[in-house]
Amino acid sequence: MLRFIGRRLFSGIALLFGISTLTYFLIYLGSSGIARNILGDTATAEQVAAKEAQLGLDRPLLERYLGWLGNAIQGDFGTSWFSAEQVGPGIIARLPVTLSVCFAVLILTAILGVALGTAAAIRRGWLDRLVQVLAVVGFAVPSFVLAVLLVTVFAIQLDLLPATGFVPFAQSPSAWAASIALPVIALLIGSVAASAQQVRSAFIETLRKDFVRTLRSRGLSSREVLFKHVLRNAAPAAMTVLSLQFIHLLGGSFVIESVFALPGIGYLAVNATAVSNLPMIMGIVVYTGAMVIIVNLIVDIANGWLNPKVRVS
């Protein structure tokens, strides 16, 4: 098991290195006139040249990358080009906002997706058709459209929930729940629909396997067969879907946080991209990539514990 975890951890670190390297070269090669954008159109050529020297943009790209990589390994991602804020602490300060929304959606998705998918696979009929319709609707309707509808109905017309802003959990748990309720619902509908469909398919496929018929022929009760054997064998597929949903949620937070004005890393990323704040963009890429790798590692460990065959793959 330790060797399996070591392999997954090494591959995750290698993936993070590859993503950060590719992103660095793409954003720096694809950006031009950065100093001019920072100073404005009224800046003189001498001021622009001085700003480029200050930011290190006059050095060769490979030299800049190696310098950034050396500092990043030590946890130093530099300073924002538009403020005196350190990139690392700035991202960490906003992580609770994004993680509050993402993990709330992920937990509810795990509960509702598994419950709906399992019930649809066992009962079939109208419930099965309902899950499949929800899956189609969840894929078809973007989360930002749902966000706008939710704000219009629950925040503006009914005045039940706040439309914007975030309240820390430590300050007021009830106000915290209210501040993330609409963003969570906007992301939850599509996430539950996709997860329930995948769980349903995995459950039905497992029910058709020979070992299930063998267990039933030995006189085991349907409850024991379903929840002790079938669910255990279908669980790896469900957990893999949840890990993919976490990636989807991080991407969705970029839009949702802008709609609800949540001060998370998604909102920070949108603002940093708009003004070519490249050190902040690189920091966000590394932090979000690390979170995805950690979640995937946890899922791989859980899958390896449930299914020993996974450990040799």
Side-chain angles (χ1 to χ4, degrees), residues 34 37 79 169 179 195 213-214 229 236 256 267 291:
I34 297 173
N37 293 335
T79 305
F169 180 85
S179 67
S195 299
R213 289 192 291 269
T214 303
H229 299 280
I256 293 299
Y267 188 72
M291 285 191 292

Side-chain angles (χ1 to χ4, degrees), residues 15-289:
L15 179 62
L16 182 61
F17 171 77
I19 291 173
S20 60
T21 300
L22 181 61
T23 303
Y24 187 93
F25 283 99
L26 285 177
I27 64 174
Y28 275 90
L29 290 173
S31 302
S32 60
I34 297 173
R36 172 68 67 182
N37 293 335
I38 295 174
L39 296 175
D41 295 334
T42 58
T44 64
E46 291 78 11
Q47 291 174 323
V48 171
K51 190 65 176 179
E52 289 181 344
Q54 178 188 348
L55 299 177
L57 297 174
D58 57 339
R59 294 184 295 154
L61 181 59
L62 182 59
E63 180 183 339
R64 279 184 273 157
Y65 167 72
L66 293 176
W68 174 86
L69 181 62
N71 292 329
I73 292 174
Q74 302 176 53
D76 181 11
F77 294 94
T79 305
S80 169
W81 284 351
F82 292 84
S83 66
E85 184 180 28
Q86 290 290 318
V87 171
I91 295 173
I92 292 174
R94 293 167 175 82
L95 271 179
V97 181
T98 300
L99 294 182
S100 292
V101 175
C102 288
F103 280 112
V105 176
L106 202 63
I107 292 171
L108 292 173
T109 298
I111 296 172
L112 299 176
V114 171
L116 283 175
T118 303
I122 295 173
R123 296 185 178 277
R124 308 301 291 269
W126 67 269
L127 184 58
D128 188 19
R129 291 191 293 271
L130 176 62
V131 168
Q132 295 184 59
V133 170
L134 286 176
V136 173
V137 173
F139 280 118
V141 181
S143 58
F144 70 88
V145 173
L146 291 174
V148 173
L149 291 175
L150 290 171
V151 168
T152 302
V153 175
F154 292 99
I156 298 176
Q157 295 180 354
L158 300 179
D159 194 23
L160 295 176
L161 294 168
T164 59
F166 176 80
V167 178
F169 180 85
Q171 180 177 331
S172 172
S174 60
W176 167 81
S179 67
I180 66 170
L182 293 182
V184 166
I185 295 172
L187 292 170
L188 183 65
I189 295 176
S191 182
V192 169
S195 299
Q197 177 68 9
Q198 294 298 324
V199 171
R200 167 195 172 274
S201 300
F203 213 94
I204 290 176
E205 183 180 353
T206 305
L207 284 171
R208 292 172 177 169
K209 291 186 176 180
D210 293 336
F211 80 90
V212 176
R213 289 192 291 269
T214 303
L215 291 172
R216 285 174 172 167
S217 67
R218 291 180 177 177
L220 272 69
S221 65
S222 296
R223 180 181 296 272
E224 186 175 0
V225 171
L226 290 174
F227 294 101
K228 186 176 180 180
H229 299 280
V230 176
L231 187 58
R232 183 184 178 92
N233 282 270
M239 287 189 295
T240 301
V241 171
L242 287 177
S243 69
L244 295 175
Q245 286 298 323
F246 181 75
I247 301 173
H248 170 74
L249 292 174
L250 281 178
S253 70
F254 283 53
V255 177
I256 293 299
E257 288 179 8
S258 297
V259 173
F260 292 99
L262 296 176
I265 58 175
Y267 188 72
L268 179 65
V270 171
N271 291 335
T273 304
V275 296
S276 298
N277 192 351
L278 303 189
M280 189 65 75
I281 295 173
M282 284 304 305
I284 292 170
V285 168
V286 173
Y287 271 88
T288 54

